[in-house]
mmCIF file of all heavy atoms in Angstrom:
data_model
loop_
_atom_site.group_PDB
_atom_site.id
_atom_site.type_symbol
_atom_site.label_atom_id
_atom_site.label_comp_id
_atom_site.label_asym_id
_atom_site.label_seq_id
_atom_site.Cartn_x
_atom_site.Cartn_y
_atom_site.Cartn_z
ATOM 1 N N ILE D 1 60.087 53.060 -149.655
ATOM 2 C CA ILE D 1 59.184 54.112 -150.130
ATOM 3 C C ILE D 1 57.868 53.474 -150.555
ATOM 4 O O ILE D 1 57.868 52.426 -151.209
ATOM 5 C CB ILE D 1 59.810 54.875 -151.312
ATOM 6 C CG1 ILE D 1 61.149 55.493 -150.910
ATOM 7 C CG2 ILE D 1 58.869 55.965 -151.822
ATOM 8 C CD1 ILE D 1 61.890 56.149 -152.066
ATOM 9 N N PRO D 2 56.728 54.042 -150.209
ATOM 10 C CA PRO D 2 55.435 53.481 -150.641
ATOM 11 C C PRO D 2 55.383 53.280 -152.150
ATOM 12 O O PRO D 2 55.998 54.038 -152.905
ATOM 13 C CB PRO D 2 54.414 54.521 -150.168
ATOM 14 C CG PRO D 2 55.093 55.254 -149.069
ATOM 15 C CD PRO D 2 56.551 55.253 -149.383
ATOM 16 N N LEU D 3 54.629 52.288 -152.591
ATOM 17 C CA LEU D 3 54.674 51.803 -153.966
ATOM 18 C C LEU D 3 54.478 52.903 -155.007
ATOM 19 O O LEU D 3 55.305 53.087 -155.905
ATOM 20 C CB LEU D 3 53.616 50.711 -154.159
ATOM 21 C CG LEU D 3 53.550 50.094 -155.556
ATOM 22 C CD1 LEU D 3 54.835 49.348 -155.882
ATOM 23 C CD2 LEU D 3 52.346 49.164 -155.676
ATOM 24 N N ILE D 4 53.380 53.653 -154.923
ATOM 25 C CA ILE D 4 53.080 54.656 -155.941
ATOM 26 C C ILE D 4 54.103 55.781 -155.904
ATOM 27 O O ILE D 4 54.610 56.219 -156.942
ATOM 28 C CB ILE D 4 51.653 55.200 -155.752
ATOM 29 C CG1 ILE D 4 50.639 54.064 -155.958
ATOM 30 C CG2 ILE D 4 51.366 56.344 -156.718
ATOM 31 C CD1 ILE D 4 49.209 54.452 -155.637
ATOM 32 N N THR D 5 54.441 56.234 -154.716
ATOM 33 C CA THR D 5 55.462 57.273 -154.578
ATOM 34 C C THR D 5 56.802 56.790 -155.105
ATOM 35 O O THR D 5 57.561 57.559 -155.710
ATOM 36 C CB THR D 5 55.595 57.691 -153.110
ATOM 37 O OG1 THR D 5 54.327 58.147 -152.630
ATOM 38 C CG2 THR D 5 56.621 58.796 -152.949
ATOM 39 N N ARG D 6 57.111 55.513 -154.882
ATOM 40 C CA ARG D 6 58.386 54.957 -155.337
ATOM 41 C C ARG D 6 58.533 55.064 -156.846
ATOM 42 O O ARG D 6 59.569 55.501 -157.355
ATOM 43 C CB ARG D 6 58.492 53.498 -154.911
ATOM 44 C CG ARG D 6 59.852 52.861 -155.200
ATOM 45 C CD ARG D 6 59.769 51.356 -155.022
ATOM 46 N NE ARG D 6 59.054 51.010 -153.801
ATOM 47 C CZ ARG D 6 58.522 49.813 -153.582
ATOM 48 N NH1 ARG D 6 58.607 48.868 -154.513
ATOM 49 N NH2 ARG D 6 57.896 49.562 -152.440
ATOM 50 N N TYR D 7 57.487 54.684 -157.593
ATOM 51 C CA TYR D 7 57.560 54.759 -159.048
ATOM 52 C C TYR D 7 57.579 56.207 -159.530
ATOM 53 O O TYR D 7 58.271 56.539 -160.501
ATOM 54 C CB TYR D 7 56.393 53.998 -159.662
ATOM 55 C CG TYR D 7 56.578 52.495 -159.643
ATOM 56 C CD1 TYR D 7 55.902 51.694 -158.730
ATOM 57 C CD2 TYR D 7 57.451 51.874 -160.540
ATOM 58 C CE1 TYR D 7 56.084 50.317 -158.711
ATOM 59 C CE2 TYR D 7 57.635 50.506 -160.530
ATOM 60 C CZ TYR D 7 56.952 49.726 -159.614
ATOM 61 O OH TYR D 7 57.145 48.367 -159.600
ATOM 62 N N TRP D 8 56.800 57.046 -158.895
ATOM 63 C CA TRP D 8 56.794 58.467 -159.263
ATOM 64 C C TRP D 8 58.168 59.081 -159.001
ATOM 65 O O TRP D 8 58.716 59.796 -159.856
ATOM 66 C CB TRP D 8 55.703 59.179 -158.463
ATOM 67 C CG TRP D 8 55.503 60.629 -158.805
ATOM 68 C CD1 TRP D 8 56.025 61.303 -159.866
ATOM 69 C CD2 TRP D 8 54.728 61.574 -158.078
ATOM 70 N NE1 TRP D 8 55.627 62.622 -159.839
ATOM 71 C CE2 TRP D 8 54.822 62.811 -158.761
ATOM 72 C CE3 TRP D 8 53.956 61.492 -156.922
ATOM 73 C CZ2 TRP D 8 54.175 63.954 -158.305
ATOM 74 C CZ3 TRP D 8 53.299 62.641 -156.465
ATOM 75 C CH2 TRP D 8 53.414 63.853 -157.152
ATOM 76 N N PHE D 9 58.745 58.801 -157.856
ATOM 77 C CA PHE D 9 60.057 59.324 -157.487
ATOM 78 C C PHE D 9 61.128 58.814 -158.451
ATOM 79 O O PHE D 9 61.964 59.593 -158.934
ATOM 80 C CB PHE D 9 60.381 58.901 -156.051
ATOM 81 C CG PHE D 9 61.659 59.462 -155.508
ATOM 82 C CD1 PHE D 9 61.725 60.753 -155.018
ATOM 83 C CD2 PHE D 9 62.816 58.681 -155.471
ATOM 84 C CE1 PHE D 9 62.909 61.276 -154.502
ATOM 85 C CE2 PHE D 9 63.989 59.184 -154.956
ATOM 86 C CZ PHE D 9 64.046 60.484 -154.472
ATOM 87 N N ALA D 10 61.092 57.520 -158.757
ATOM 88 C CA ALA D 10 62.084 56.941 -159.666
ATOM 89 C C ALA D 10 61.966 57.542 -161.063
ATOM 90 O O ALA D 10 62.974 57.857 -161.712
ATOM 91 C CB ALA D 10 61.912 55.425 -159.717
ATOM 92 N N GLY D 11 60.724 57.711 -161.541
ATOM 93 C CA GLY D 11 60.527 58.307 -162.855
ATOM 94 C C GLY D 11 61.007 59.743 -162.921
ATOM 95 O O GLY D 11 61.519 60.195 -163.957
ATOM 96 N N SER D 12 60.870 60.467 -161.810
ATOM 97 C CA SER D 12 61.286 61.864 -161.765
ATOM 98 C C SER D 12 62.797 62.010 -161.690
ATOM 99 O O SER D 12 63.320 63.125 -161.819
ATOM 100 C CB SER D 12 60.642 62.564 -160.556
ATOM 101 O OG SER D 12 59.227 62.569 -160.686
ATOM 102 N N ILE D 13 63.496 60.907 -161.455
ATOM 103 C CA ILE D 13 64.954 60.907 -161.534
ATOM 104 C C ILE D 13 65.403 60.372 -162.890
ATOM 105 O O ILE D 13 66.301 60.939 -163.529
ATOM 106 C CB ILE D 13 65.561 60.051 -160.406
ATOM 107 C CG1 ILE D 13 65.280 60.696 -159.042
ATOM 108 C CG2 ILE D 13 67.071 59.880 -160.608
ATOM 109 C CD1 ILE D 13 65.773 59.874 -157.868
ATOM 110 N N ALA D 14 64.770 59.282 -163.359
ATOM 111 C CA ALA D 14 65.198 58.619 -164.586
ATOM 112 C C ALA D 14 64.977 59.484 -165.827
ATOM 113 O O ALA D 14 65.881 59.609 -166.672
ATOM 114 C CB ALA D 14 64.457 57.291 -164.734
ATOM 115 N N VAL D 15 63.809 60.102 -165.957
ATOM 116 C CA VAL D 15 63.510 60.864 -167.171
ATOM 117 C C VAL D 15 64.397 62.100 -167.299
ATOM 118 O O VAL D 15 64.963 62.333 -168.381
ATOM 119 C CB VAL D 15 62.012 61.228 -167.230
ATOM 120 C CG1 VAL D 15 61.717 62.120 -168.430
ATOM 121 C CG2 VAL D 15 61.161 59.960 -167.299
ATOM 122 N N PRO D 16 64.586 62.923 -166.238
ATOM 123 C CA PRO D 16 65.548 64.022 -166.372
ATOM 124 C C PRO D 16 66.967 63.541 -166.675
ATOM 125 O O PRO D 16 67.713 64.209 -167.403
ATOM 126 C CB PRO D 16 65.482 64.720 -165.002
ATOM 127 C CG PRO D 16 64.116 64.412 -164.500
ATOM 128 C CD PRO D 16 63.850 63.010 -164.957
ATOM 129 N N LEU D 17 67.343 62.377 -166.121
ATOM 130 C CA LEU D 17 68.679 61.842 -166.393
ATOM 131 C C LEU D 17 68.822 61.453 -167.860
ATOM 132 O O LEU D 17 69.865 61.712 -168.483
ATOM 133 C CB LEU D 17 68.943 60.637 -165.495
ATOM 134 C CG LEU D 17 70.330 59.992 -165.600
ATOM 135 C CD1 LEU D 17 71.411 60.998 -165.205
ATOM 136 C CD2 LEU D 17 70.412 58.750 -164.720
ATOM 137 N N VAL D 18 67.780 60.840 -168.414
ATOM 138 C CA VAL D 18 67.798 60.485 -169.834
ATOM 139 C C VAL D 18 67.958 61.737 -170.703
ATOM 140 O O VAL D 18 68.732 61.746 -171.671
ATOM 141 C CB VAL D 18 66.510 59.723 -170.203
ATOM 142 C CG1 VAL D 18 66.333 59.645 -171.718
ATOM 143 C CG2 VAL D 18 66.531 58.316 -169.608
ATOM 144 N N GLY D 19 67.252 62.794 -170.348
ATOM 145 C CA GLY D 19 67.383 64.048 -171.091
ATOM 146 C C GLY D 19 68.736 64.690 -170.908
ATOM 147 O O GLY D 19 69.323 65.227 -171.855
ATOM 148 N N LYS D 20 69.270 64.628 -169.684
ATOM 149 C CA LYS D 20 70.567 65.234 -169.380
ATOM 150 C C LYS D 20 71.691 64.539 -170.125
ATOM 151 O O LYS D 20 72.637 65.180 -170.604
ATOM 152 C CB LYS D 20 70.815 65.168 -167.866
ATOM 153 C CG LYS D 20 72.084 65.869 -167.407
ATOM 154 C CD LYS D 20 71.975 67.372 -167.565
ATOM 155 C CE LYS D 20 73.187 68.069 -166.975
ATOM 156 N NZ LYS D 20 73.128 69.543 -167.157
ATOM 157 N N LEU D 21 71.613 63.213 -170.243
ATOM 158 C CA LEU D 21 72.647 62.443 -170.929
ATOM 159 C C LEU D 21 72.503 62.492 -172.444
ATOM 160 O O LEU D 21 73.371 61.974 -173.154
ATOM 161 C CB LEU D 21 72.611 60.987 -170.459
ATOM 162 C CG LEU D 21 72.949 60.747 -168.984
ATOM 163 C CD1 LEU D 21 72.791 59.274 -168.631
ATOM 164 C CD2 LEU D 21 74.368 61.227 -168.665
ATOM 165 N N GLY D 22 71.432 63.065 -172.938
ATOM 166 C CA GLY D 22 71.230 63.172 -174.376
ATOM 167 C C GLY D 22 70.743 61.903 -175.033
ATOM 168 O O GLY D 22 70.772 61.793 -176.267
ATOM 169 N N LEU D 23 70.293 60.925 -174.236
ATOM 170 C CA LEU D 23 69.763 59.696 -174.816
ATOM 171 C C LEU D 23 68.469 59.970 -175.571
ATOM 172 O O LEU D 23 68.150 59.290 -176.549
ATOM 173 C CB LEU D 23 69.536 58.657 -173.711
ATOM 174 C CG LEU D 23 70.787 58.252 -172.907
ATOM 175 C CD1 LEU D 23 70.411 57.265 -171.810
ATOM 176 C CD2 LEU D 23 71.850 57.678 -173.826
ATOM 177 N N VAL D 24 67.712 60.936 -175.095
ATOM 178 C CA VAL D 24 66.518 61.433 -175.778
ATOM 179 C C VAL D 24 66.589 62.948 -175.737
ATOM 180 O O VAL D 24 66.936 63.532 -174.701
ATOM 181 C CB VAL D 24 65.219 60.946 -175.098
ATOM 182 C CG1 VAL D 24 64.002 61.570 -175.766
ATOM 183 C CG2 VAL D 24 65.135 59.418 -175.141
ATOM 184 N N SER D 25 66.275 63.573 -176.835
ATOM 185 C CA SER D 25 66.324 65.035 -176.872
ATOM 186 C C SER D 25 65.287 65.618 -175.915
ATOM 187 O O SER D 25 64.110 65.215 -175.963
ATOM 188 C CB SER D 25 66.051 65.537 -178.290
ATOM 189 O OG SER D 25 65.934 66.955 -178.294
ATOM 190 N N PRO D 26 65.692 66.542 -175.037
ATOM 191 C CA PRO D 26 64.722 67.161 -174.122
ATOM 192 C C PRO D 26 63.538 67.794 -174.837
ATOM 193 O O PRO D 26 62.451 67.892 -174.266
ATOM 194 C CB PRO D 26 65.557 68.211 -173.387
ATOM 195 C CG PRO D 26 66.954 67.688 -173.442
ATOM 196 C CD PRO D 26 67.064 67.002 -174.782
ATOM 197 N N VAL D 27 63.741 68.188 -176.088
ATOM 198 C CA VAL D 27 62.646 68.794 -176.857
ATOM 199 C C VAL D 27 61.478 67.822 -176.983
ATOM 200 O O VAL D 27 60.315 68.229 -177.039
ATOM 201 C CB VAL D 27 63.150 69.220 -178.253
ATOM 202 C CG1 VAL D 27 61.990 69.726 -179.109
ATOM 203 C CG2 VAL D 27 64.202 70.310 -178.118
ATOM 204 N N ASN D 28 61.772 66.521 -176.988
ATOM 205 C CA ASN D 28 60.720 65.519 -177.122
ATOM 206 C C ASN D 28 60.047 65.171 -175.804
ATOM 207 O O ASN D 28 59.117 64.351 -175.783
ATOM 208 C CB ASN D 28 61.308 64.237 -177.734
ATOM 209 C CG ASN D 28 61.770 64.433 -179.157
ATOM 210 O OD1 ASN D 28 61.125 65.124 -179.943
ATOM 211 N ND2 ASN D 28 62.909 63.841 -179.503
ATOM 212 N N LEU D 29 60.499 65.775 -174.713
ATOM 213 C CA LEU D 29 59.963 65.450 -173.393
ATOM 214 C C LEU D 29 59.046 66.530 -172.846
ATOM 215 O O LEU D 29 58.309 66.294 -171.899
ATOM 216 C CB LEU D 29 61.115 65.207 -172.409
ATOM 217 C CG LEU D 29 62.099 64.095 -172.799
ATOM 218 C CD1 LEU D 29 63.251 64.028 -171.799
ATOM 219 C CD2 LEU D 29 61.401 62.747 -172.891
ATOM 220 N N PHE D 30 59.091 67.717 -173.438
ATOM 221 C CA PHE D 30 58.204 68.796 -173.028
ATOM 222 C C PHE D 30 56.786 68.543 -173.528
ATOM 223 O O PHE D 30 56.568 67.763 -174.457
ATOM 224 C CB PHE D 30 58.690 70.138 -173.578
ATOM 225 C CG PHE D 30 59.907 70.692 -172.888
ATOM 226 C CD1 PHE D 30 61.180 70.309 -173.269
ATOM 227 C CD2 PHE D 30 59.763 71.605 -171.856
ATOM 228 C CE1 PHE D 30 62.291 70.826 -172.636
ATOM 229 C CE2 PHE D 30 60.875 72.140 -171.217
ATOM 230 C CZ PHE D 30 62.146 71.741 -171.607
ATOM 231 N N LEU D 31 55.836 69.248 -172.938
ATOM 232 C CA LEU D 31 54.453 69.210 -173.412
ATOM 233 C C LEU D 31 54.216 70.415 -174.307
ATOM 234 O O LEU D 31 53.864 71.493 -173.835
ATOM 235 C CB LEU D 31 53.472 69.212 -172.235
ATOM 236 C CG LEU D 31 51.982 69.229 -172.595
ATOM 237 C CD1 LEU D 31 51.629 68.071 -173.509
ATOM 238 C CD2 LEU D 31 51.129 69.189 -171.331
ATOM 239 N N TRP D 32 54.431 70.228 -175.615
ATOM 240 C CA TRP D 32 54.146 71.279 -176.573
ATOM 241 C C TRP D 32 52.737 71.074 -177.103
ATOM 242 O O TRP D 32 52.424 70.023 -177.664
ATOM 243 C CB TRP D 32 55.147 71.240 -177.735
ATOM 244 C CG TRP D 32 56.582 71.393 -177.335
ATOM 245 C CD1 TRP D 32 57.577 70.481 -177.501
ATOM 246 C CD2 TRP D 32 57.172 72.533 -176.712
ATOM 247 N NE1 TRP D 32 58.759 70.960 -177.012
ATOM 248 C CE2 TRP D 32 58.544 72.229 -176.517
ATOM 249 C CE3 TRP D 32 56.692 73.765 -176.284
ATOM 250 C CZ2 TRP D 32 59.425 73.114 -175.922
ATOM 251 C CZ3 TRP D 32 57.567 74.655 -175.689
ATOM 252 C CH2 TRP D 32 58.915 74.334 -175.517
ATOM 253 N N PRO D 33 51.846 72.041 -176.951
ATOM 254 C CA PRO D 33 50.443 71.868 -177.372
ATOM 255 C C PRO D 33 50.294 71.468 -178.828
ATOM 256 O O PRO D 33 49.498 70.579 -179.157
ATOM 257 C CB PRO D 33 49.830 73.246 -177.098
ATOM 258 C CG PRO D 33 50.678 73.834 -176.012
ATOM 259 C CD PRO D 33 52.061 73.343 -176.280
ATOM 260 N N ASP D 34 51.055 72.102 -179.711
ATOM 261 C CA ASP D 34 50.913 71.801 -181.133
ATOM 262 C C ASP D 34 51.318 70.359 -181.426
ATOM 263 O O ASP D 34 50.628 69.648 -182.173
ATOM 264 C CB ASP D 34 51.770 72.761 -181.962
ATOM 265 C CG ASP D 34 51.635 72.507 -183.452
ATOM 266 O OD1 ASP D 34 50.541 72.753 -184.002
ATOM 267 O OD2 ASP D 34 52.628 72.043 -184.058
ATOM 268 N N ALA D 35 52.434 69.918 -180.847
ATOM 269 C CA ALA D 35 52.893 68.545 -181.090
ATOM 270 C C ALA D 35 51.932 67.525 -180.488
ATOM 271 O O ALA D 35 51.704 66.452 -181.064
ATOM 272 C CB ALA D 35 54.299 68.358 -180.501
ATOM 273 N N PHE D 36 51.363 67.854 -179.350
ATOM 274 C CA PHE D 36 50.461 66.924 -178.669
ATOM 275 C C PHE D 36 49.128 66.796 -179.418
ATOM 276 O O PHE D 36 48.627 65.685 -179.628
ATOM 277 C CB PHE D 36 50.215 67.402 -177.239
ATOM 278 C CG PHE D 36 49.170 66.620 -176.494
ATOM 279 C CD1 PHE D 36 49.266 65.249 -176.345
ATOM 280 C CD2 PHE D 36 48.076 67.262 -175.920
ATOM 281 C CE1 PHE D 36 48.295 64.523 -175.653
ATOM 282 C CE2 PHE D 36 47.112 66.557 -175.221
ATOM 283 C CZ PHE D 36 47.223 65.181 -175.093
ATOM 284 N N ILE D 37 48.573 67.921 -179.849
ATOM 285 C CA ILE D 37 47.234 67.923 -180.448
ATOM 286 C C ILE D 37 47.277 67.596 -181.938
ATOM 287 O O ILE D 37 46.513 66.750 -182.422
ATOM 288 C CB ILE D 37 46.547 69.285 -180.216
ATOM 289 C CG1 ILE D 37 46.341 69.519 -178.720
ATOM 290 C CG2 ILE D 37 45.212 69.346 -180.953
ATOM 291 C CD1 ILE D 37 45.787 70.882 -178.376
ATOM 292 N N HIS D 38 48.190 68.247 -182.663
ATOM 293 C CA HIS D 38 48.161 68.137 -184.121
ATOM 294 C C HIS D 38 49.087 67.043 -184.663
ATOM 295 O O HIS D 38 48.847 66.529 -185.761
ATOM 296 C CB HIS D 38 48.535 69.481 -184.752
ATOM 297 C CG HIS D 38 47.592 70.592 -184.369
ATOM 298 N ND1 HIS D 38 46.281 70.625 -184.780
ATOM 299 C CD2 HIS D 38 47.777 71.708 -183.599
ATOM 300 C CE1 HIS D 38 45.690 71.707 -184.291
ATOM 301 N NE2 HIS D 38 46.572 72.379 -183.574
ATOM 302 N N ARG D 39 50.128 66.694 -183.924
ATOM 303 C CA ARG D 39 51.039 65.644 -184.394
ATOM 304 C C ARG D 39 50.819 64.333 -183.640
ATOM 305 O O ARG D 39 51.540 63.365 -183.854
ATOM 306 C CB ARG D 39 52.494 66.102 -184.233
ATOM 307 C CG ARG D 39 52.824 67.385 -184.984
ATOM 308 C CD ARG D 39 54.250 67.801 -184.735
ATOM 309 N NE ARG D 39 54.496 69.175 -185.136
ATOM 310 C CZ ARG D 39 55.630 69.840 -184.876
ATOM 311 N NH1 ARG D 39 56.610 69.233 -184.226
ATOM 312 N NH2 ARG D 39 55.762 71.089 -185.254
ATOM 313 N N PHE D 40 49.854 64.310 -182.741
ATOM 314 C CA PHE D 40 49.472 63.104 -182.002
ATOM 315 C C PHE D 40 50.649 62.483 -181.239
ATOM 316 O O PHE D 40 50.769 61.251 -181.160
ATOM 317 C CB PHE D 40 48.852 62.065 -182.953
ATOM 318 C CG PHE D 40 47.653 62.570 -183.668
ATOM 319 C CD1 PHE D 40 47.753 62.972 -184.994
ATOM 320 C CD2 PHE D 40 46.428 62.681 -183.023
ATOM 321 C CE1 PHE D 40 46.644 63.463 -185.666
ATOM 322 C CE2 PHE D 40 45.314 63.161 -183.687
ATOM 323 C CZ PHE D 40 45.427 63.561 -185.008
ATOM 324 N N GLN D 41 51.512 63.346 -180.695
ATOM 325 C CA GLN D 41 52.613 62.862 -179.859
ATOM 326 C C GLN D 41 52.080 62.720 -178.432
ATOM 327 O O GLN D 41 52.330 63.544 -177.548
ATOM 328 C CB GLN D 41 53.801 63.815 -179.942
ATOM 329 C CG GLN D 41 54.372 63.887 -181.354
ATOM 330 C CD GLN D 41 55.540 64.845 -181.490
ATOM 331 O OE1 GLN D 41 55.923 65.537 -180.543
ATOM 332 N NE2 GLN D 41 56.117 64.905 -182.685
ATOM 333 N N ILE D 42 51.344 61.611 -178.233
ATOM 334 C CA ILE D 42 50.547 61.449 -177.017
ATOM 335 C C ILE D 42 51.381 61.128 -175.782
ATOM 336 O O ILE D 42 50.841 61.113 -174.681
ATOM 337 C CB ILE D 42 49.482 60.352 -177.222
ATOM 338 C CG1 ILE D 42 50.158 59.022 -177.587
ATOM 339 C CG2 ILE D 42 48.487 60.765 -178.303
ATOM 340 C CD1 ILE D 42 49.189 57.863 -177.699
ATOM 341 N N TRP D 43 52.657 60.867 -175.956
ATOM 342 C CA TRP D 43 53.507 60.592 -174.790
ATOM 343 C C TRP D 43 53.887 61.858 -174.035
ATOM 344 O O TRP D 43 54.310 61.786 -172.887
ATOM 345 C CB TRP D 43 54.784 59.895 -175.249
ATOM 346 C CG TRP D 43 55.704 60.774 -176.041
ATOM 347 C CD1 TRP D 43 56.617 61.680 -175.550
ATOM 348 C CD2 TRP D 43 55.763 60.875 -177.460
ATOM 349 N NE1 TRP D 43 57.249 62.332 -176.584
ATOM 350 C CE2 TRP D 43 56.759 61.853 -177.768
ATOM 351 C CE3 TRP D 43 55.108 60.227 -178.501
ATOM 352 C CZ2 TRP D 43 57.090 62.192 -179.073
ATOM 353 C CZ3 TRP D 43 55.450 60.559 -179.803
ATOM 354 C CH2 TRP D 43 56.415 61.527 -180.081
ATOM 355 N N ARG D 44 53.709 63.002 -174.620
ATOM 356 C CA ARG D 44 54.237 64.236 -174.039
ATOM 357 C C ARG D 44 53.634 64.585 -172.670
ATOM 358 O O ARG D 44 54.361 65.035 -171.783
ATOM 359 C CB ARG D 44 54.073 65.402 -175.018
ATOM 360 C CG ARG D 44 55.031 65.326 -176.195
ATOM 361 C CD ARG D 44 54.945 66.537 -177.094
ATOM 362 N NE ARG D 44 55.904 66.482 -178.183
ATOM 363 C CZ ARG D 44 57.157 66.918 -178.130
ATOM 364 N NH1 ARG D 44 57.596 67.468 -177.005
ATOM 365 N NH2 ARG D 44 57.954 66.821 -179.168
ATOM 366 N N PRO D 45 52.314 64.425 -172.426
ATOM 367 C CA PRO D 45 51.811 64.712 -171.079
ATOM 368 C C PRO D 45 52.440 63.826 -170.004
ATOM 369 O O PRO D 45 52.575 64.247 -168.846
ATOM 370 C CB PRO D 45 50.302 64.440 -171.203
ATOM 371 C CG PRO D 45 50.003 64.618 -172.648
ATOM 372 C CD PRO D 45 51.215 64.113 -173.361
ATOM 373 N N ILE D 46 52.843 62.598 -170.378
ATOM 374 C CA ILE D 46 53.458 61.695 -169.411
ATOM 375 C C ILE D 46 54.911 62.084 -169.153
ATOM 376 O O ILE D 46 55.336 62.223 -168.009
ATOM 377 C CB ILE D 46 53.360 60.240 -169.905
ATOM 378 C CG1 ILE D 46 51.899 59.836 -170.066
ATOM 379 C CG2 ILE D 46 54.077 59.294 -168.942
ATOM 380 C CD1 ILE D 46 51.704 58.470 -170.680
ATOM 381 N N THR D 47 55.679 62.273 -170.227
ATOM 382 C CA THR D 47 57.089 62.631 -170.036
ATOM 383 C C THR D 47 57.227 63.999 -169.379
ATOM 384 O O THR D 47 58.138 64.217 -168.574
ATOM 385 C CB THR D 47 57.830 62.627 -171.386
ATOM 386 O OG1 THR D 47 57.181 63.525 -172.307
ATOM 387 C CG2 THR D 47 57.850 61.229 -171.973
ATOM 388 N N ALA D 48 56.314 64.928 -169.692
ATOM 389 C CA ALA D 48 56.378 66.260 -169.080
ATOM 390 C C ALA D 48 56.086 66.218 -167.588
ATOM 391 O O ALA D 48 56.447 67.138 -166.856
ATOM 392 C CB ALA D 48 55.401 67.211 -169.771
#
């Protein structure tokens, strides 16, 4: 798989799997505007 697509594809499998297994709460993976802007949870646009 081409390099950039490979990492994007792998991330799109790994992150949902992490949420599915409960290793990280799915609530922390969504892009919630209030949490992103007011609580400075800057990872949310990436995980979402």
Side-chain angles (χ1 to χ4, degrees):
I1 302 174
L3 181 65
I4 297 173
T5 302
R6 186 192 315 161
Y7 283 104
W8 184 11
F9 184 80
S12 297
I13 294 177
V15 175
L17 183 61
V18 166
K20 185 69 174 178
L21 295 176
L23 300 178
V24 176
S25 173
V27 174
N28 294 321
L29 302 176
F30 286 85
L31 178 56
W32 301 117
D34 181 68
F36 173 56
I37 297 175
H38 300 293
R39 301 178 195 172
F40 301 102
Q41 297 179 357
I42 59 175
W43 69 82
R44 287 185 178 273
I46 299 174
T47 57

